[in-house]
């Protein structure tokens, strides 16, 4: 039995080589790096929930009963004159994240078209897929709300216990219910990974079969029912490829960033010692701040461009697998030079 996930590796490597190196085009690399960054970064935000312990505050170690009136904190928050400003900042951050998430959905279509045609037209492709990107964004948003609701429902007994029994210390209660929450998070991660693997397969089907995302998803599920073994192998194969590629490219990127990083430190050190005898420390740091911002931005750009070939290869691998797995879907690839 031929495993499509294995057979797709060779052709994906040849397409990646021809796309990125034959010929090498720095402008093309930059545009692909921007697409990869936007496609992978939209809507990603996180908060670990930890609160730093400052000063002599022992509040995290105290039982809830020590607090005479929990409503004091609510009254303080609602009565503060900065509440409208806080709400405006939180709302602005939330809106910014949603915009990034929408851009990420559009870029998923742009990425597929760019490497399929081997012709990166960022603005033209973005305009073409704004509507389809919106549909994908809505689906992702609904899924995120659903997964978040499941997590809240799983954590609800712990929340109710903390409310009903405030005399109980927080940490032992969290430890007692932590294992079940970890299990729920793991289950949500597995299901979300499976669902999103289907969604990524839906994107080229929706583009080239000219159907909606939901209809494309139905087509993927129908194909999965007919040939589920290939899909199981696909999940395991992709995990191996992502893990191995991530480690390899991570080492390469660290080595590539070491030289400019040391160079930036040397330049900053020279500027610092040159100015230390002339101006005050505060002015020196004020002068160095723009240089540091530019250097950090350049290092981030280097890292994005360094990891971009892995993303291009993995996207080609997915597309080649999809063409083999979904027989009635034709991907309009550019012609390989070695196939002429």
């Amino acid at each position: 039995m031929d495993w499509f996930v294995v057979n797709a590796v060779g052709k994906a490597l040849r397409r990646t080589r021809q796309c990125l190196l034959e010929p090498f085009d720095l402008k093309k690399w930059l545009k692909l790096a921007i697409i990869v960054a936007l496609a992978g970064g939209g809507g990603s935000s996180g908060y670990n929930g930890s609160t730093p312990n400052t000063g002599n505050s022992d509040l995290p170690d105290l039982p809830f009963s020590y607090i005479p009136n929990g409503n004091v904190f609510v009254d303080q928050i609602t009565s503060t004159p900065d509440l409208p400003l806080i709400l405006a900042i939180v709302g602005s951050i939330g809106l910014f994240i949603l915009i990034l998430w929408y851009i990420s959905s559009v870029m998923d279509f742009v990425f597929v078209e760019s490497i399929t045609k081997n012709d990166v037209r960022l603005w033209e492709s973005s305009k073409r897929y704004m509507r389809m990107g919106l549909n994908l964004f809505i689906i992702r948003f609904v899924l995120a709300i659903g997964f978040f609701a499941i997590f809240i429902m799983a954590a609800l007994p712990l929340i109710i216990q903390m409310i009903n029994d405030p005399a109980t210390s927080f940490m032992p209660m969290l430890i007692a219910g932590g294992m079940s929450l970890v299990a729920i998070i793991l289950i949500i991660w597995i299901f979300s990974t499976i669902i999103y693997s289907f969604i990524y397969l839906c994107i080229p089907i929706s583009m080239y079969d000219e159907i909606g995302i939901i209809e494309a998803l139905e087509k993927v599920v129908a194909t999965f029912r007919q040939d589920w073994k290939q899909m199981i192998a696909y999940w395991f194969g992709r995990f191996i490829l992502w893990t191995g590629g991530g480690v390899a490219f991570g080492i390469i990127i660290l080595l590539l960033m070491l030289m400019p990083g040391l160079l930036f430190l040397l330049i900053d050190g020279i500027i610092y010692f040159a100015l230390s005898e002339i101006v005050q420390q505060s002015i020196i740091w004020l002068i160095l701040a723009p240089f540091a911002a530019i250097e950090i931005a350049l290092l981030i750009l280097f890292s994005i461009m360094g990891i971009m070939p892995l993303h291009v290869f993995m996207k080609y691998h997915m597309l080649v697998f999809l063409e083999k797995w979904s027989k009635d879907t034709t991907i309009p690839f550019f012609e390989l030079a070695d196939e002429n």
Side-chain angles (χ1 to χ4, degrees), residues 18-68:
Q18 185 167 334
C19 175
L20 298 180
L21 300 176
E22 300 175 359
F24 175 80
D25 186 347
L26 181 59
K27 185 177 179 181
K28 184 180 183 180
W29 274 62
L30 286 171
K31 289 192 289 186
L32 281 173
I34 292 172
I35 293 172
V36 167
L38 292 175
S44 60
S45 61
Y47 173 63
N48 58 14
S50 61
T51 303
N53 190 5
T54 57
N56 296 322
S57 174
D58 294 323
L59 182 59
D61 299 326
L62 293 178
F64 293 112
S65 59
Y66 186 85
I67 303 173

Side-chain angles (χ1 to χ4, degrees), residues 270-288:
I270 293 173
I271 295 175
Y272 177 83
F273 287 111
L275 295 177
S276 60
E277 302 294 333
I278 303 174
V279 297
Q280 298 178 351
Q281 289 285 330
S282 58
I283 299 178
I284 295 176
W285 292 117
L286 192 63
I287 295 174
L288 286 176

Side-chain angles (χ1 to χ4, degrees), residues 134-150:
L134 178 61
N135 295 334
L136 179 60
F137 164 75
I138 293 172
I139 292 173
R140 285 174 166 171
F141 185 71
V142 171
L143 285 173
I145 292 177
F147 289 133
F148 181 72
I150 293 172

Side-chain angles (χ1 to χ4, degrees), residues 14 67 86 98 107 119 160 223 288 326:
R14 293 198 300 272
I67 303 173
I86 294 173
L98 290 177
M107 288 301 111
D119 184 18
I160 293 175
T223 307
L288 286 176
S326 183

Side-chain angles (χ1 to χ4, degrees), residues 12-169:
L13 282 172
R14 293 198 300 272
R15 292 196 177 280
T16 303
R17 184 181 68 246
Q18 185 167 334
C19 175
L20 298 180
L21 300 176
E22 300 175 359
F24 175 80
D25 186 347
L26 181 59
K27 185 177 179 181
K28 184 180 183 180
W29 274 62
L30 286 171
K31 289 192 289 186
L32 281 173
I34 292 172
I35 293 172
V36 167
L38 292 175
S44 60
S45 61
Y47 173 63
N48 58 14
S50 61
T51 303
N53 190 5
T54 57
N56 296 322
S57 174
D58 294 323
L59 182 59
D61 299 326
L62 293 178
F64 293 112
S65 59
Y66 186 85
I67 303 173
N69 185 4
N71 293 328
V72 169
F73 297 101
V74 178
D75 294 338
Q76 289 177 351
I77 293 175
T78 55
S79 61
T80 176
D82 295 331
L83 181 60
L85 178 61
I86 294 173
L87 292 177
I89 293 174
V90 172
S92 300
I93 294 174
L95 180 61
F96 179 70
I97 292 173
L98 290 177
I99 292 174
L100 280 182
W101 208 353
Y102 168 64
I103 294 174
S104 171
S105 299
V106 175
M107 288 301 111
D108 278 325
F109 290 93
V110 175
F111 192 18
V112 170
E113 182 176 79
S114 298
I115 66 171
T116 299
K117 295 182 177 180
N118 194 16
D119 184 18
V120 186
R121 299 182 181 274
L122 182 59
W123 301 117
E124 294 87 339
S125 299
S126 299
K127 294 176 183 177
R128 185 179 303 114
Y129 294 109
M130 290 180 65
R131 178 66 178 273
M132 299 179 76
L134 178 61
N135 295 334
L136 179 60
F137 164 75
I138 293 172
I139 292 173
R140 285 174 166 171
F141 185 71
V142 171
L143 285 173
I145 292 177
F147 289 133
F148 181 72
I150 293 172
F151 174 77
I152 292 298
M153 290 174 62
L156 196 59
L158 182 63
I159 297 173
I160 293 175
Q161 186 178 356
M162 287 190 298
I163 295 175
N164 293 337
D165 191 11
T168 306
S169 296

